[in-house]
Every structure is written in C-alpha cells, then in structure tokens.
C-alpha cells in the first residue's frame, strides 16, 4: 500500500474527547484545541485510532467509536497518576525542560511509574495498531514509547513530537535517566521539535549521552536511523480569522471595550496559570508603569485571563496565590472607586468570548520565561484582520523565531518590559499595521494543517 495511505494511530497522554453529562446521560464530547481539530480528520480519513487516557483513574472503558474515529483507552491508577503525571511529568520533566525556571525534583519512586505507564501505552498501542500503520507519539509524558513500541512492532513507522522545549546539555545532563529518555525517543523514525534550536540540542545530547552517531540531521543508533527536524506547530488560522469577523464577535468585542475597559485601551494576557508563562513579571511591569505615570490608569486597563491548571500540585496553588496577591496589591494601590487597573479572570472562557477579547485588546503581552511555541501569540495575530494590535513577545518562546515583527522582550527584565508596554501603546498606526500584516502572512502561510502534513510527509517517506 502507498505509505501515505497507511493507517494512522495517534498516541497522546489524553484522548481527544472528554466525558460530559448530557440530557440522556453521560456522553463523549470532542475536546477543543488546534491539535485535536488538525489530527482528527487525518485519522478519520486514514483509518487507525487515537490511543490515550480518559482523564479518569481506574479501569479504562473498552475501545469505542466517536465521530468515526476509534478511541483506545489506556488505564491509569490513582497512585500512577500521582507519581507518573504529577510527579515525573510535571515535577521533573516540565521544570527541567523549561530551562529549570523551577527546581526539578528527581525521585526514583517517580521514575519507575513513568516507565510502567509508558510500557502500558506501548502495549496498548502495539495491540491496537493495524499492520504497517504510522504511529505518531506526542509529548513529554511518553518519551519511552517509541523504542518500547519498536521492539514490540517492528512493522510500524513511528514518529515522536515534543511540544515543549528541549534543554541544552548543561541542563538535560542533570537528569539521572538522561540516557534512557534519549534512547526511548530514538526508537522513532522521525523526531520533531518546535524549533531548530531544540532539534540541535537533541543531536548534541544524542552524541554526548548515548552511543549514537549523527550525520547532519540523521541519527544512527544500534543499526536504526532516525531523522531529527524542527516542525513548528501552528493554529487553524482561518477559524480565528473568521470568528473575529463574525458580527456577534465584533459587537461583543466593542462591549468588552466599554464594560471592561470603560473606554480605556486593553492590555491583555492569556495563559494557563503556569509558572513558565511569566504572568508575575508582566504584572510587575504593569505596576511599574502605573507608578511611573499616575495618569496611566485612566488610559489603560490590564486584563489577565488565567486558565486553571494542575491545581493538585502545591506549586501551582502557591503560584495562584502569588498572582492574586500581586493583582490585589496593584489594585489596592492604584484603583479608585469604579476604576480598577487590573481585571483578573481565573477561568476558561468559551472560544467566541476569547476571540472577542483578542479583538478588543490593543496589546497582547506574551512573556513566558520559556515556552515550546505559544499558540496564544499566533491566535491573537489571526484575530486582527483589521491590522490593529501589538504583540509584545518573549524572546524565549518558539513563536519568537517566526513572529519577528513582534516587539521582542526579555521577560526577566522588568524595566525593559515596562518600557516595551509603553512603546506598544505609542506605536504609530502605520507601524502597528505593518508589523501585524507581516505576522499574519507568516501565520496564515503555515497553519496547524501544514504542520501535521509536513510531519506526516516526513514520517511517510
Ligand atoms: C503546550 C506548550 C505549545 C487559553 N485560555 C483559554 C483558551 N486557551 C487556549 C489558547 C491556546 C491554548 O489554550 C494554550 O496554548 P499555548 O501554546 O499557549 O500553551 P500550552 O498550554 O502551555 O501548550 C506550548 C503547545 O503545547 C502546542 O504545541 O505551543 O509551548 O507549552 O490554544 O487558545 N481556550 C479557551 N478559553 C480560554 O479561556 N477556549
């Protein structure tokens, strides 16, 4: 069979559906998000399956069909969830791979469950993948799956994509299980990263910590060869572009400017509430600006949308308290009755409302200390077809290598960031529009569909 017609199996920590209560009892509902909408039509067309966890611990449901896609569930127990997901994935790998902006913890009692959950994913995939399938494994939860799967099913073409950054030797080298992780990933035929720099880091790590030999972007290990490249992820540009032009969204965006902004210019932040996103730094910079220019609070308002995330981890609960304390301090110091400088929303908004907010915002602050890509930056660009909107973007995001006409900032530099927010608000309209148009060309030319196509083309060769 021509290789592009081979069935496609996606393996990811989470299934692309979640259980919701309907009027006729519980049912599965497709999860929102670019990755899911990009991959589901491809899986449906190619046949195959999506392998993942339902989000509920205990016994897994039998495989089921939803939206003409086969879903295969991997069971995870409560204690595995604690040690595999909250422990190794989010206590070791997440901080280490994000430039160790928080101290990673290394525990052998987290590593063993990581190995066993990866084995479980590999076994379930090996049992359900049709002969000669292409299998695309996603992200840092499943770095051992490629090699485990290759041992069980040598007939498969295996791809692996890392959504978060891959750190350089000085940091990665600290990981007690560095060789096992690298060899785990090297079971794939194609390994993809968000940026060239991540891909280069992988090649150096492979040479340094394993017996691999590299030849340009090809790695050879124990008779197996794999290709290593950058495949920057993107968004469904048209969906955001179209939604931002919908009359209801335009109306809502005007309403937001009046209600939230009271006619003031909106400076926006949108993030999962995560310590990598630099939410505190950006609030400090806004505070500094209010202190330097007392009239500023009549001109601008900052809206920070913080989506609840990993709330069972103590560190994330502490982060939430810290952010809320800073918001409280700023408002306590600068608010007047009926005039609040920082509006803080701790919840997830419906898609339409999010796009209306993007559209209403004159400036978007994206200030992560480290971020694989950052899709929020691209979504904001897609929602500004009228050429308005200034993106202030951290140099340490994957998006920075593509969105070069954003106003770039070092998120560790509060003074620099303060000045950049002031500059963003004073840019001449023509300059705003020139920068925005350039970014729109970049994002519209490389959507999440192009991303998936290029990865699968490499996997299919
Ligand atoms: C990881 C990597 C990489 C946010 N608030 C709402 C909402 N969102 C949506 C956004 C966006 C998504 O969440 C966040 O994506 P990011 O890319 O910004 O960040 P992570 O969640 O950390 O994602 C990252 C990504 O994987 C993909 O590879 O870019 O670097 O860390 O799509 O729109 N959606 C809705 N309401 C909200 O309030 N509906």
């Amino acid at each position: 069979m021509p290789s592009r017609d081979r069935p496609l199996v996606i393996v990811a920590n989470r299934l692309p559906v979640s259980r919701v209560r309907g009027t006729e009892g519980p049912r599965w509902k497709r999860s929102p998000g670019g990755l899911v909408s990009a991959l589901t039509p491809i899986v449906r067309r190619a046949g195959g399956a999506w392998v993942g966890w339902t989000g509920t611990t205990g016994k897994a449901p039998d495989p089921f069909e939803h939206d003409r896609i086969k879903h295969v569930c991997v069971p995870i127990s409560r204690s595995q969830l604690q040690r595999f997901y909250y422990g190794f994935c989010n206590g070791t790998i997440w901080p280490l791979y994000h430039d160790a902006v928080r101290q990673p913890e290394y525990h052998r009692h987290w590593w063993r469950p990581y190995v066993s959950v990866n084995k479980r994913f590999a076994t379930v995939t090996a049992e359900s993948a049709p002969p000669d399938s292409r299998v695309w494994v996603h992200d840092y939860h499943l770095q051992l799956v490629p090699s485990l799967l290759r041992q069980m099913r040598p007939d498969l073409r295996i791809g692996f994509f890392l959504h978060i950054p891959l750190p350089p030797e000085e940091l990665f080298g600290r990981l007690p299980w560095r060789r096992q992780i690298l060899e785990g990933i090297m079971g794939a035929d194609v390994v993809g990263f968000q940026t060239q720099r991540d891909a280069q880091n992988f090649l150096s790590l492979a040479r340094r910590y394993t017996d691999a030999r590299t030849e340009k972007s090809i790695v050879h290990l124990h008779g197996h060869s794999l290709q290593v490249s950058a495949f920057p992820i993107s968004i469904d540009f048209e969906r955001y572009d179209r939604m931002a032009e919908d009359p209801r969204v335009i109306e809502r965006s005007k309403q937001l400017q009046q209600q939230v902004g009271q006619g003031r210019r909106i400076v926006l932040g949108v993030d999962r509430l995560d310590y990598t996103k630099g939410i505190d730094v950006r609030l400090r910079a806004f505070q500094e600006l209010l202190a330097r220019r007392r009239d500023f609070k009549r001109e601008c308002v900052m809206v920070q949308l913080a989506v609840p995330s990993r709330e069972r981890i103590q560190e994330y609960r502490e982060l939430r308290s810290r952010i809320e304390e800073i918001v409280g301090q700023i408002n306590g110091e600068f608010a007047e009755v009926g005039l609040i400088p920082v509006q803080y929303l701790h919840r997830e908004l419906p898609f339409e409302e999010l796009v209306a907010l993007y559209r209403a915002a004159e400036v978007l602050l994206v200030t992560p200390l480290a971020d694989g890509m950052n899709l929020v930056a691209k979504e904001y660009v897609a929602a500004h077809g009228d050429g308005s909107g200034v993106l202030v973007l951290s140099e340490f995001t994957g998006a920075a290598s593509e969105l070069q006409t954003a106003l770039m900032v070092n998120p560790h530099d509060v003074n620099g960031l303060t000045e950049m927010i002031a500059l963003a608000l004073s840019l001449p309209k023509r300059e705003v529009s020139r920068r925005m148009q350039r970014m729109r060309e970049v994002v519209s030319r490389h959507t999440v569909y192009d991303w998936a196509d290029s990865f699968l083309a490499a996997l299919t060769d």
Side-chain angles (χ1 to χ4, degrees), residues 264-304:
R264 292 173 292 171
R265 304 159 78 189
I266 297 179
V267 175
L268 178 68
V270 173
D271 315 77
R272 252 184 333 94
L273 190 39
D274 194 292
Y275 54 77
T276 59
K277 302 289 182 184
I279 303 172
D280 46 351
V281 192
R282 125 179 29 135
L283 286 167
R284 290 286 178 219
F286 194 73
Q287 181 176 28
E288 177 81 22
L289 204 54
L290 291 173
R292 285 189 200 172
R293 294 172 43 179
R294 307 294 292 198
D295 59 320
F296 199 74
K297 64 184 174 209
R298 301 193 182 281
E299 211 182 295
C300 297
V301 58
M302 176 158 178
V303 177
Q304 176 63 54

Side-chain angles (χ1 to χ4, degrees), residues 163 194 272 277 305 307 348-349 371-375 379:
H163 289 255
Q194 299 277 25
R272 252 184 333 94
K277 302 289 182 184
L305 172 61
V307 180
E348 181 162 354
L349 296 181
D371 210 338
M373 176 54 62
N374 195 287
L375 296 179
E379 292 165 2

Side-chain angles (χ1 to χ4, degrees), residues 32-35 94 98 139 161-165 194 233-235 240 270-272 274 276-277 305-307 310 347-352 354 358 370-377 379 398 451:
L35 180 70
W94 182 267
H98 287 92
D139 226 358
F161 183 78
L162 187 71
H163 289 255
I164 66 176
Q194 299 277 25
I233 197 168
S234 192
I235 58 163
Y240 286 85
V270 173
D271 315 77
R272 252 184 333 94
D274 194 292
T276 59
K277 302 289 182 184
L305 172 61
V307 180
R310 303 176 193 165
R347 74 190 73 118
E348 181 162 354
L349 296 181
F351 174 63
E352 268 190 44
L354 175 67
Y358 282 149
D371 210 338
M373 176 54 62
N374 195 287
L375 296 179
V376 167
E379 292 165 2
W451 166 77

Side-chain angles (χ1 to χ4, degrees), residues 156-201:
L156 302 174
R157 280 283 290 177
I158 303 170
F160 176 81
F161 183 78
L162 187 71
H163 289 255
I164 66 176
L166 187 73
E169 279 176 40
E170 309 85 86
L171 288 175
F172 191 88
R174 297 179 191 175
L175 186 64
W177 306 278
R178 59 198 184 192
R179 187 180 49 77
Q180 290 94 316
I181 297 266
L182 292 168
E183 288 183 356
I185 295 176
M186 283 193 247
D189 297 289
V190 175
V191 176
F193 296 96
Q194 299 277 25
T195 65
Q196 284 296 347
R197 204 177 56 159
D198 298 319
Q200 283 307 327
N201 285 347

